[in-house]
Amino acid sequence: MFGSGDRAGGGPIAGPGDPRWVLAARAADKLEGTLLRPEHRDRLIRLGRMLGLSPFDANLVIAIVQDQARRGHPPHHCAAAGRQQLQLIALPRRRTMLDALRDNRPLGIAVILGTLLLLEVALLAWLF
């Protein structure tokens, strides 16, 4: 089955907010015929990661959209035409704030230190 991690298959597209659908629609918007510029692909992969998809799954979503364009579907119909294939891609697991902080360590450290500093200032203001 397509997908990554220990999840087996994706399941139905849950709606317009489904990460696979969001990425497919954005990929279709960036198509120039059947082609996708490298800088657009890079941005789409980053978007996929922000949506919780692995780089492999994000590339798979893009490939499905491009395949639909090569089959003759106009770009604005490529996501819908590839819906059945998109459903094979594993849904990302729910991410916690801690996961997001781990993905971006410098930002995570800054957020944690900032929070601790605010707590310390609040405690000092309360005490004095």
Side-chain angles (χ1 to χ4, degrees), residues 5 7 9 11 19 30 39-40 43 45 48-49 53 59 61-62 76 79 83 87 102-103 119:
R7 301 168 310 276
K30 298 298 180 188
E39 60 270 16
H40 292 307
R43 285 188 205 123
I45 299 302
R49 293 204 53 178
L53 296 168
N59 275 296
V61 168
I62 294 167
H76 59 279
R83 185 181 193 100
Q87 294 179 111
R102 276 192 212 123
D103 289 348
L119 288 172

Side-chain angles (χ1 to χ4, degrees), residues 76-90:
H76 59 279
H77 287 297
C78 287
R83 185 181 193 100
Q84 188 173 4
Q85 293 167 310
L86 291 171
Q87 294 179 111
L88 297 174
I89 298 171

Side-chain angles (χ1 to χ4, degrees), residues 95-109:
R95 293 172 46 89
T96 64
M97 181 182 266
L98 189 57
D99 291 331
L101 293 175
R102 276 192 212 123
D103 289 348
N104 192 343
R105 290 197 192 279
L107 176 62
I109 291 170

Side-chain angles (χ1 to χ4, degrees), residues 22-96:
V22 170
L23 187 59
R26 292 292 296 271
D29 287 342
K30 298 298 180 188
L31 284 179
E32 296 175 15
T34 62
L35 301 176
L36 190 61
R37 292 179 189 226
E39 60 270 16
H40 292 307
R41 176 179 289 278
D42 292 342
R43 285 188 205 123
L44 289 166
I45 299 302
R46 281 196 303 270
L47 173 62
R49 293 204 53 178
M50 289 185 338
L51 293 170
L53 296 168
S54 71
F56 176 84
D57 288 338
N59 275 296
L60 190 52
V61 168
I62 294 167
I64 289 168
V65 170
Q66 285 184 295
D67 180 56
Q68 294 306 317
R70 289 184 187 116
R71 292 172 186 259
H73 294 282
H76 59 279
H77 287 297
C78 287
R83 185 181 193 100
Q84 188 173 4
Q85 293 167 310
L86 291 171
Q87 294 179 111
L88 297 174
I89 298 171
L91 281 166
R93 67 180 176 84
R94 288 189 180 257
R95 293 172 46 89
T96 64

Side-chain angles (χ1 to χ4, degrees), residues 6-28:
D6 55 3
R7 301 168 310 276
I13 301 294
D18 186 298
R20 302 163 298 176
W21 186 259
V22 170
L23 187 59
R26 292 292 296 271

